[in-house]
Amino acid sequence: MRDQPAVVLTRHFFTSLFDFGILSDEGAESLKRVLLGVLALAIAGGLLLTRVFMAKYGMLAEAPPEAYAREVVADHAFLMALPMWIVAGAMSLVGQSLFPDETDFRILMAEPLSRSVVFGAKLAALLLFGGLFVVGSHVGLLPLAVLTLIGAAKTGSVVPATMAFAASSLAASLFAALGIVAMQGVLVLLASRSRLLAFSGAVRIVVMGGLVLALPLVTRLPATAGAFEANAWWLAWTPPAWFAGLERWLLGDTTRGMLAAQAMAATIGAGAIAVFAYVRLYRRFDRVTFQSAGRTRSPGGAPSIGRWGWGAPVRRAVLRFVSLTIQRSVLHQGLVVGLLAGTGGLVLNSLLSANWRVDEPAGNALVWTLLWAPMTMVFLAIPAIRLALSVPMDLRANWIFRMTEDVDGRAEVADASVRTVLALAVALPIALIAPLQWWVMGDDCLAVLLVEAAIGWLLVEFLMADWRRVPFTCSYIPGKGFVPQMCVKAFASYVTFTFATGLMLRASLRHHAVAFVLASGFGVAAGALHIRRARHARQTSLLFEDQVPSDVTALRLSAD
């Protein structure tokens, strides 16, 4: 059974969905540990949410049944939205692997395999992949779901309520998965073969960025009970609300018939498009294939970040390599955009909650939020962009960089990476928040911007002090530590950093002399770290094989 072609091919397609073609054997094993840690965090998050909602449902237990019915619809929309978000994000991440591509056609069609076996294995792998995230997300939220369903005992309808919620929630996750598959299928069928990879990458970036920015809106769903009661206009444009309406309709609430109809129509429509795309591609596999590589752009018109090299040839070459890789690699585009959108989504949630009255004194909550926002984005974006630079493009090609390693160019390699992080993780977030700071704080924000830039530079130099690799060329092993412990340490560091920098920025806003002193001190410290990094880089070889902390590391007593 295990050696049958369909089983072997399904296993191959399923494991390739987690590989992305960038992980070594050690990296693949480490990824399994990361996924287990993420699952543990998901379960812990579900228990934490349950604890938060206990007080609410404790009060609802003593309230009339109408109050429970009013609140539970919004909470169930939230419980459906989270798995939808997770499933849609996972399917978007592997968008170009959802359908057999040109590589599959050239290799598998030469084997004694029928098209039905190839497409059946691909579809089975896709179902297993999507089902993994559907089951995992629902298991993590199971305690909270049970808590919200206890109140149905007042009406004697616990079993029907449980069945309606389970059916609606699974339908919502199914719609999220089918929606991504249908979108990718339309691209495969309509886009020209020469532009397919570029279009697919652009759509995936937009979808992932939109999902990340939508996360703050998802977290606001439990507070929308009044909107559901008033049948607000935006419910018709909110997919989680459709399936919450489907649940109420299954329980006999005829006022939610329109939302239920939208949920069923959307699910059936997405499924029909996905099935049509698979059938069409099955019949025309030799003419409609997902190309594994797109056309190469002409070298003219260097990207802007690649021009930030001035007179250093190695640094200029690395910066241009970084620019071209981000432009052409769908994976790295998704990493950069997704990670930056994640930091922006967290800040967006706080900005939406702020009171935007600018006629209050400088000590109000809005000013504090605007001082907190850029530091939060910088703190999260720096390790995020560092991670994106660590993920390899093609490990088999890094021999070119091994052969051309130059002692004098090592410092320029590290400097190019630092400048990339400065541009994307410091300059970009500060520039995005600066107009809002100018509008609220006026000319006084110039002193704040100076201190923010100095803090960002110092943090970049501190976190990049041990950087010894050409971007995108070193193997990557995810999850070098225990994931829950790393998250606790990161959260503690985040709270300490944002609180301390918030106090310093607030003092800089009130007293410009303080801003000058802080900016000078941070600048001197960052400059010292820069000099130390440049000196150390010449004495240390570049890294092309990632190492886990338990590995034995050579002392490297020689200069080379």
Side-chain angles (χ1 to χ4, degrees), residues 297-307 319-321 323-324 327-328:
R297 295 185 184 179
S298 61
S304 57
I305 194 174
R307 296 171 181 168
L319 285 171
R320 180 163 174 77
F321 173 63
S323 298
L324 293 176
Q327 289 184 45
R328 297 175 180 176

Side-chain angles (χ1 to χ4, degrees), residues 336-391:
V336 172
V337 174
L339 294 172
L340 289 179
T343 62
L346 177 63
V347 171
L348 177 63
N349 188 37
S350 297
L351 294 178
L352 291 175
S353 303
N355 180 13
W356 286 89
R357 294 182 58 185
V358 298
D359 55 347
E360 299 180 6
N364 61 19
L366 177 59
V367 172
W368 180 265
T369 301
L370 290 176
L371 295 177
W372 163 86
M375 291 296 93
T376 295
M377 295 184 69
V378 166
F379 181 86
L380 298 176
I382 291 174
I385 299 302
R386 191 182 191 276
L387 170 63
L389 297 179
S390 301
V391 175

Side-chain angles (χ1 to χ4, degrees), residues 181-387:
V181 175
M183 187 183 305
Q184 193 66 50
V186 170
L187 283 175
V188 172
L189 294 177
L190 298 184
S192 63
R193 295 178 61 185
S194 60
R195 299 292 182 183
L196 182 55
L197 187 63
F199 287 161
S200 176
V203 170
R204 183 164 64 168
I205 288 173
V206 172
V207 171
M208 292 183 62
L211 285 172
V212 174
L213 292 175
L215 186 57
L217 303 179
V218 171
T219 60
R220 291 170 170 266
L221 283 174
T224 59
F228 276 94
E229 186 177 28
N231 200 22
W233 64 270
W234 54 265
L235 296 179
W237 301 91
T238 309
W242 303 345
F243 293 92
L246 175 62
E247 177 196 9
R248 305 314 300 174
W249 180 77
L250 291 175
L251 292 174
D253 186 354
T254 57
T255 61
R256 306 297 180 184
M258 185 59 67
L259 293 176
Q262 287 181 273
M264 291 185 288
T267 304
I268 295 173
I273 295 174
V275 170
F276 174 78
Y278 259 97
V279 172
R280 183 70 171 175
L281 184 58
Y282 174 80
R283 294 180 176 177
R284 303 182 60 188
F285 192 25
D286 55 338
R287 286 179 285 175
V288 186
T289 56
F290 199 145
Q291 286 193 324
S292 58
R295 291 181 178 177
T296 303
R297 295 185 184 179
S298 61
S304 57
I305 194 174
R307 296 171 181 168
W308 199 15
W310 291 312
V314 176
R315 182 174 62 204
R316 186 167 57 250
V318 174
L319 285 171
R320 180 163 174 77
F321 173 63
V322 170
S323 298
L324 293 176
T325 301
I326 293 177
Q327 289 184 45
R328 297 175 180 176
S329 171
V330 176
L331 172 62
H332 291 89
Q333 287 175 0
L335 281 174
V336 172
V337 174
L339 294 172
L340 289 179
T343 62
L346 177 63
V347 171
L348 177 63
N349 188 37
S350 297
L351 294 178
L352 291 175
S353 303
N355 180 13
W356 286 89
R357 294 182 58 185
V358 298
D359 55 347
E360 299 180 6
N364 61 19
L366 177 59
V367 172
W368 180 265
T369 301
L370 290 176
L371 295 177
W372 163 86
M375 291 296 93
T376 295
M377 295 184 69
V378 166
F379 181 86
L380 298 176
I382 291 174
I385 299 302
R386 191 182 191 276
L387 170 63

Side-chain angles (χ1 to χ4, degrees), residues 66-110:
E66 294 77 12
Y68 164 79
R70 178 179 180 274
E71 295 293 333
V72 75
V73 61
D75 292 339
H76 280 187
F78 170 70
L79 287 175
M80 297 175 192
L82 279 181
M84 289 177 69
W85 188 88
I86 294 172
V87 171
M91 301 299 285
S92 299
L93 197 61
V94 297
Q96 70 183 75
S97 301
L98 295 179
F99 292 86
D101 58 15
E102 188 178 15
T103 302
D104 297 328
F105 173 75
R106 294 184 181 277
I107 295 177
L108 297 178
M109 288 296 98

Side-chain angles (χ1 to χ4, degrees), residues 403-435:
M403 296 289 293
T404 58
E405 180 179 351
D406 178 43
V407 175
D408 296 329
R410 291 172 182 168
E412 294 183 28
V413 170
D415 195 41
S417 303
V418 169
R419 293 187 178 213
T420 301
V421 178
L422 280 172
L424 296 177
V426 177
L428 180 60
I430 292 177
L432 291 175
I433 304 297

